Amino acid sequence: MNKTVLYTGVTNHLPKRLYEHKEKINPKSFTAKYNVHYLIYFEKFSWIQLAIEREKEIKNLTRQKKLDLILAFNPELEFLNERFKYSEPKE
């Protein structure tokens, strides 16, 4: 399976969001449909408004400019998910 889809999103809890994507918590979502759950790039913001503004900027980049941004941050295209471990709370 090729890992060619690039997904851009915003969250206030990255470990939980990665878990949701991997487990396909929302089965009709874009990430579930395209099996998107590998993290290769992220940015951290203190204010959600700035994060949303940056998300829109990134979404408007060409695919090549997105790849350039990712490669400048993560030249080996290493999967970064393990840096953000999350376990579902037990009831």
Side-chain angles (χ1 to χ4, degrees):
M1 177 176 151
N2 293 328
K3 296 173 181 67
T4 59
V5 174
L6 296 175
Y7 169 79
T8 303
V10 170
T11 182
N12 64 355
H13 196 310
L14 184 54
K16 183 177 180 186
R17 181 60 57 89
L18 291 170
Y19 171 84
E20 291 169 349
H21 289 325
K22 185 177 180 193
E23 298 301 320
K24 298 182 177 153
I25 300 298
N26 300 306
K28 294 184 180 183
S29 69
F30 177 91
T31 57
K33 180 177 180 182
Y34 292 98
N35 290 315
V36 177
H37 59 264
Y38 292 106
L39 179 68
I40 57 172
Y41 179 84
F42 67 93
E43 294 181 18
K44 186 175 180 180
F45 292 87
S46 298
W47 298 97
I48 187 64
Q49 295 87 349
L50 295 176
I52 292 168
E53 184 178 311
R54 180 63 172 148
E55 175 195 26
K56 289 176 183 176
E57 287 176 8
I58 291 172
K59 284 185 174 186
N60 285 322
L61 294 176
T62 64
R63 181 176 181 86
Q64 186 57 55
K65 288 190 179 189
K66 289 176 189 176
L67 289 171
D68 292 344
L69 182 66
I70 293 164
L71 289 168
F73 176 80
N74 183 358
E76 302 298 320
L77 295 178
E78 175 186 348
F79 298 143
L80 307 173
N81 300 58
E82 291 300 313
R83 296 184 186 186
F84 302 96
K85 294 196 179 199
Y86 175 78
S87 336
E88 190 66 20
K90 295 184 173 130
E91 295 178 21

